[in-house]
Short mmCIF file of all heavy atoms in Angstrom, two decimals:
data_model
loop_
_atom_site.label_atom_id
_atom_site.label_comp_id
_atom_site.label_asym_id
_atom_site.label_seq_id
_atom_site.Cartn_x
_atom_site.Cartn_y
_atom_site.Cartn_z
N PRO A 112 11.08 19.40 -3.96
CA PRO A 112 11.69 20.24 -4.98
C PRO A 112 13.21 20.25 -4.77
O PRO A 112 13.68 19.78 -3.73
CB PRO A 112 11.13 21.64 -4.67
CG PRO A 112 10.83 21.60 -3.22
CD PRO A 112 10.47 20.18 -2.88
N PRO A 113 13.99 20.80 -5.71
CA PRO A 113 15.41 20.89 -5.47
C PRO A 113 15.69 21.88 -4.35
O PRO A 113 14.89 22.77 -4.09
CB PRO A 113 15.98 21.43 -6.79
CG PRO A 113 14.84 21.78 -7.65
CD PRO A 113 13.58 21.35 -7.01
N GLY A 114 16.84 21.72 -3.66
CA GLY A 114 17.22 22.72 -2.67
C GLY A 114 17.33 22.18 -1.25
O GLY A 114 17.25 20.97 -1.00
N THR A 115 17.56 23.13 -0.34
CA THR A 115 17.70 22.77 1.08
C THR A 115 17.03 23.88 1.88
O THR A 115 17.68 24.56 2.67
CB THR A 115 19.19 22.69 1.47
OG1 THR A 115 19.85 23.90 1.05
CG2 THR A 115 19.89 21.52 0.81
N SER A 116 15.73 24.07 1.62
CA SER A 116 15.09 25.24 2.22
C SER A 116 13.81 24.89 2.96
O SER A 116 13.71 23.85 3.60
CB SER A 116 14.88 26.29 1.14
OG SER A 116 14.43 27.49 1.70
N ASP A 117 12.85 25.76 2.87
CA ASP A 117 11.63 25.62 3.66
C ASP A 117 10.99 24.25 3.57
O ASP A 117 10.72 23.61 4.61
CB ASP A 117 10.61 26.69 3.23
CG ASP A 117 10.94 28.07 3.77
OD1 ASP A 117 10.64 28.31 4.95
OD2 ASP A 117 11.52 28.87 3.03
N GLU A 118 10.75 23.79 2.34
CA GLU A 118 10.04 22.51 2.17
C GLU A 118 10.80 21.38 2.85
O GLU A 118 10.22 20.50 3.47
CB GLU A 118 9.89 22.15 0.69
CG GLU A 118 9.05 23.12 -0.12
CD GLU A 118 9.85 24.27 -0.70
OE1 GLU A 118 10.90 24.63 -0.11
OE2 GLU A 118 9.42 24.81 -1.73
N HIS A 119 12.10 21.40 2.72
CA HIS A 119 12.94 20.31 3.23
C HIS A 119 13.00 20.35 4.75
O HIS A 119 12.85 19.34 5.43
CB HIS A 119 14.33 20.39 2.61
CG HIS A 119 14.27 20.61 1.14
ND1 HIS A 119 14.14 21.87 0.59
CD2 HIS A 119 14.23 19.73 0.11
CE1 HIS A 119 14.04 21.76 -0.72
NE2 HIS A 119 14.08 20.47 -1.03
N LEU A 120 13.21 21.56 5.28
CA LEU A 120 13.23 21.72 6.74
C LEU A 120 11.88 21.33 7.32
O LEU A 120 11.81 20.63 8.32
CB LEU A 120 13.55 23.17 7.11
CG LEU A 120 15.02 23.56 6.98
CD1 LEU A 120 15.16 25.08 7.04
CD2 LEU A 120 15.83 22.91 8.09
N SER A 121 10.83 21.80 6.69
CA SER A 121 9.50 21.56 7.24
C SER A 121 9.12 20.09 7.24
O SER A 121 8.59 19.59 8.22
CB SER A 121 8.45 22.35 6.47
OG SER A 121 8.66 23.73 6.67
N ILE A 122 9.37 19.41 6.14
CA ILE A 122 8.95 18.00 6.08
C ILE A 122 9.69 17.19 7.13
O ILE A 122 9.11 16.34 7.81
CB ILE A 122 9.09 17.41 4.65
CG1 ILE A 122 8.34 16.07 4.53
CG2 ILE A 122 10.52 17.23 4.25
CD1 ILE A 122 6.86 16.20 4.42
N VAL A 123 10.97 17.47 7.32
CA VAL A 123 11.74 16.74 8.33
C VAL A 123 11.23 17.08 9.73
O VAL A 123 11.05 16.20 10.58
CB VAL A 123 13.25 17.06 8.21
CG1 VAL A 123 14.03 16.49 9.38
CG2 VAL A 123 13.81 16.52 6.91
N GLN A 124 10.94 18.35 9.93
CA GLN A 124 10.45 18.79 11.24
C GLN A 124 9.08 18.18 11.54
O GLN A 124 8.88 17.60 12.62
CB GLN A 124 10.32 20.32 11.20
CG GLN A 124 10.13 20.97 12.55
CD GLN A 124 9.83 22.46 12.35
OE1 GLN A 124 10.39 23.11 11.49
NE2 GLN A 124 8.94 22.97 13.16
N TYR A 125 8.15 18.29 10.57
CA TYR A 125 6.79 17.81 10.84
C TYR A 125 6.74 16.30 10.98
O TYR A 125 5.87 15.76 11.66
CB TYR A 125 5.82 18.25 9.74
CG TYR A 125 5.69 19.75 9.57
CD1 TYR A 125 5.37 20.29 8.33
CD2 TYR A 125 5.86 20.63 10.64
CE1 TYR A 125 5.24 21.66 8.15
CE2 TYR A 125 5.74 22.00 10.47
CZ TYR A 125 5.43 22.51 9.21
OH TYR A 125 5.32 23.87 9.04
N LEU A 126 7.65 15.59 10.30
CA LEU A 126 7.65 14.14 10.43
C LEU A 126 8.52 13.68 11.59
O LEU A 126 8.71 12.50 11.80
CB LEU A 126 8.13 13.48 9.13
CG LEU A 126 7.15 13.54 7.96
CD1 LEU A 126 7.82 13.03 6.68
CD2 LEU A 126 5.91 12.73 8.25
N GLY A 127 9.06 14.66 12.33
CA GLY A 127 9.98 14.35 13.42
C GLY A 127 9.35 13.49 14.50
O GLY A 127 10.02 12.63 15.09
N ALA A 128 8.06 13.69 14.74
CA ALA A 128 7.38 12.93 15.79
C ALA A 128 7.21 11.48 15.39
O ALA A 128 7.16 10.59 16.23
CB ALA A 128 6.02 13.55 16.08
N THR A 129 7.14 11.24 14.09
CA THR A 129 7.04 9.86 13.61
C THR A 129 8.44 9.44 13.17
O THR A 129 9.43 9.95 13.66
CB THR A 129 6.00 9.75 12.49
OG1 THR A 129 6.04 8.42 11.96
CG2 THR A 129 6.24 10.71 11.37
N HIS A 130 8.53 8.55 12.23
CA HIS A 130 9.85 8.02 11.91
C HIS A 130 10.07 8.06 10.40
O HIS A 130 9.23 7.58 9.64
CB HIS A 130 9.90 6.59 12.46
CG HIS A 130 10.86 5.71 11.73
ND1 HIS A 130 12.21 5.76 11.95
CD2 HIS A 130 10.65 4.77 10.79
CE1 HIS A 130 12.78 4.87 11.16
NE2 HIS A 130 11.88 4.26 10.45
N ILE A 131 11.18 8.65 9.99
CA ILE A 131 11.52 8.64 8.56
C ILE A 131 12.59 7.58 8.35
O ILE A 131 13.64 7.62 9.01
CB ILE A 131 12.07 10.01 8.11
CG1 ILE A 131 11.10 11.15 8.47
CG2 ILE A 131 12.34 10.00 6.61
CD1 ILE A 131 11.60 12.53 8.08
N ASP A 132 12.33 6.62 7.46
CA ASP A 132 13.36 5.60 7.19
C ASP A 132 14.62 6.24 6.63
O ASP A 132 15.73 5.87 6.99
CB ASP A 132 12.83 4.58 6.17
CG ASP A 132 11.76 3.70 6.79
OD1 ASP A 132 10.70 4.25 7.15
OD2 ASP A 132 11.98 2.49 6.92
N GLY A 133 14.42 7.18 5.72
CA GLY A 133 15.59 7.83 5.18
C GLY A 133 15.30 8.54 3.87
O GLY A 133 14.17 8.61 3.43
N ALA A 134 16.37 9.04 3.29
CA ALA A 134 16.26 9.81 2.05
C ALA A 134 16.98 9.11 0.92
O ALA A 134 18.03 8.50 1.10
CB ALA A 134 16.87 11.20 2.26
N VAL A 135 16.36 9.17 -0.26
CA VAL A 135 17.02 8.72 -1.49
C VAL A 135 17.37 9.98 -2.25
O VAL A 135 16.51 10.84 -2.46
CB VAL A 135 16.08 7.83 -2.34
CG1 VAL A 135 16.75 7.44 -3.65
CG2 VAL A 135 15.67 6.60 -1.56
N ILE A 136 18.64 10.13 -2.59
CA ILE A 136 19.10 11.37 -3.23
C ILE A 136 19.42 11.10 -4.69
O ILE A 136 20.14 10.16 -5.01
CB ILE A 136 20.33 11.92 -2.48
CG1 ILE A 136 19.97 12.10 -0.99
CG2 ILE A 136 20.78 13.23 -3.09
CD1 ILE A 136 21.09 12.65 -0.16
N ILE A 137 18.88 11.94 -5.55
CA ILE A 137 19.05 11.75 -6.99
C ILE A 137 20.05 12.75 -7.55
O ILE A 137 20.00 13.94 -7.20
CB ILE A 137 17.71 11.97 -7.73
CG1 ILE A 137 16.55 11.31 -7.01
CG2 ILE A 137 17.80 11.49 -9.18
CD1 ILE A 137 16.59 9.81 -6.96
N THR A 138 20.95 12.28 -8.36
CA THR A 138 21.89 13.19 -9.03
C THR A 138 22.04 12.76 -10.49
O THR A 138 21.53 11.72 -10.89
CB THR A 138 23.27 13.16 -8.34
OG1 THR A 138 24.11 14.15 -8.95
CG2 THR A 138 23.95 11.80 -8.50
N THR A 139 22.65 13.64 -11.29
CA THR A 139 23.11 13.23 -12.61
C THR A 139 24.64 13.16 -12.50
O THR A 139 25.20 13.61 -11.50
CB THR A 139 22.62 14.19 -13.71
OG1 THR A 139 22.91 15.55 -13.33
CG2 THR A 139 21.12 14.05 -13.92
N PRO A 140 25.34 12.59 -13.52
CA PRO A 140 26.74 12.25 -13.29
C PRO A 140 27.72 13.42 -13.21
O PRO A 140 28.81 13.26 -12.68
CB PRO A 140 27.10 11.37 -14.51
CG PRO A 140 25.79 10.95 -15.10
CD PRO A 140 24.84 12.04 -14.79
N GLN A 141 27.34 14.58 -13.75
CA GLN A 141 28.35 15.63 -13.89
C GLN A 141 28.54 16.42 -12.60
O GLN A 141 27.66 16.48 -11.75
CB GLN A 141 28.06 16.51 -15.10
CG GLN A 141 26.95 17.54 -14.95
CD GLN A 141 25.57 16.98 -15.13
OE1 GLN A 141 25.27 15.91 -14.63
NE2 GLN A 141 24.73 17.74 -15.81
N GLU A 142 29.71 17.06 -12.48
CA GLU A 142 30.12 17.77 -11.28
C GLU A 142 29.14 18.90 -10.94
O GLU A 142 28.87 19.15 -9.78
CB GLU A 142 31.55 18.31 -11.44
CG GLU A 142 32.07 19.12 -10.26
CD GLU A 142 32.10 18.36 -8.94
OE1 GLU A 142 32.19 17.12 -8.97
OE2 GLU A 142 31.99 19.02 -7.88
#
Side-chain angles (χ1 to χ4, degrees):
Chain A
T115 51
S116 188
D117 284 281
E118 297 88 333
H119 313 85
L120 283 166
S121 294
I122 194 76
V123 171
Q124 193 187 322
Y125 299 151
L126 288 173
T129 174
H130 154 79
I131 306 178
D132 289 64
V135 177
I136 304 181
I137 316 294
T138 185
T139 49
Q141 77 279 42
E142 178 59 26

